[in-house]
Amino acid sequence: MSYVYMRVLESAPQRYERGMRVLTLGRLEQVRQDIAARVSAGERVLDIGCGTGALAVILARRGARVTGIDIATPMLAQAARRVREEELGDRIELRAMGAVELDAVFSDASLDCVVSTLVFSELSDDEIEYTLAECKRVLRPGGQLMIADEVMPRSTLRRIGTFLFSLPFVILAFVLTQNTTRRVARLEARIAAAGFHIASTEEYLLGTMKLIIAEKVV
């Protein structure tokens, strides 16, 4: 995914959803629905990198109590507007914070579910390790962790195709921002190493995007 395009969308949150639909060929909405199908009414859910609040609203409509966190205040402002329009203020709390601050807000075993979409690909390896450890800490025994993100395809042919498609975006991103985009390597193995049982996975976009459903090992 283009780092530059993501930054442009985040600076103009009113266009974010439309842009993400284009960027994911419409699969992001399916990912959100697949996540929501696994969340029950009354569950306490943390949405890491909630963006404009699209997933949080879907979960709240199902009766979940959601805390959405994000470091981008323009995105949170759009999320707050959406929550007001949907009249879901009693079920959704929004906080301007990053995943590295979870220890200051959430107590041990206080949540039923943690979800995240297209966020871990923006974290460093150390941040991924820390965030997964915090997800385990805040989840109750048997609680669910659901992460949807860009991953490296398993087959060599798909990896080559993904590289060639992404190369212009990577070069442009580095020239303009001195940063680059990357897909998460070994995401399932990292989640398992953090103390989770991988319950199932769903693949999208020819395996370049995955939804990993895991459970906290008691």
Side-chain angles (χ1 to χ4, degrees), residues 39-188:
V39 175
S40 301
E43 288 193 319
R44 301 156 297 173
V45 182
L46 170 64
D47 184 1
I48 297 177
C50 64
T52 60
L55 178 56
V57 165
I58 294 172
L59 298 176
R61 285 175 182 161
R62 293 179 62 88
R65 304 187 67 85
V66 186
T67 300
I69 66 170
D70 206 296
I71 61 173
T73 52
M75 302 286 278
L76 282 176
Q78 184 74 6
R81 189 175 301 113
R82 174 174 279 169
V83 170
R84 289 194 299 270
E85 291 173 353
E86 297 283 343
E87 299 182 346
L88 291 170
D90 60 330
R91 295 182 188 173
I92 299 176
E93 177 187 9
L94 300 173
R95 287 178 173 265
M97 58 177 285
V100 295
E101 303 170 80
L102 292 177
D103 60 338
V105 178
F106 298 95
S107 57
D108 295 358
S110 59
L111 299 171
D112 299 297
C113 186
V114 176
V115 302
S116 181
T117 56
L118 300 177
V119 172
F120 276 69
S121 53
E122 297 187 18
L123 302 179
S124 69
D125 289 337
D126 287 344
E127 288 171 335
I128 289 174
E129 183 177 343
Y130 175 83
T131 302
L132 288 175
E134 280 297 287
C135 288
K136 182 183 179 185
R137 181 186 66 80
V138 301
L139 280 169
R140 63 168 173 77
Q144 288 191 105
L145 172 66
M146 291 186 275
I147 298 176
D149 223 312
E150 295 180 294
V151 298
M152 289 301 299
R154 284 194 294 267
S155 74
T156 301
L157 184 60
R158 287 184 179 180
R159 287 187 180 186
I160 293 173
T162 298
F163 172 78
L164 292 176
F165 176 78
S166 302
L167 185 59
F169 294 114
V170 172
I171 294 173
L172 179 61
F174 184 78
V175 169
L176 295 180
T177 70
Q178 284 69 60
N179 285 284
T180 187
T181 182
R182 69 187 183 95
R183 297 176 183 274
V184 185
R186 302 174 51 255
L187 183 55
E188 288 153 297

Side-chain angles (χ1 to χ4, degrees), residues 153-155 158 162 203-209:
R154 284 194 294 267
S155 74
R158 287 184 179 180
T162 298
E203 294 189 355
Y204 313 84
L205 299 174
L206 300 177
T208 61
M209 181 185 294

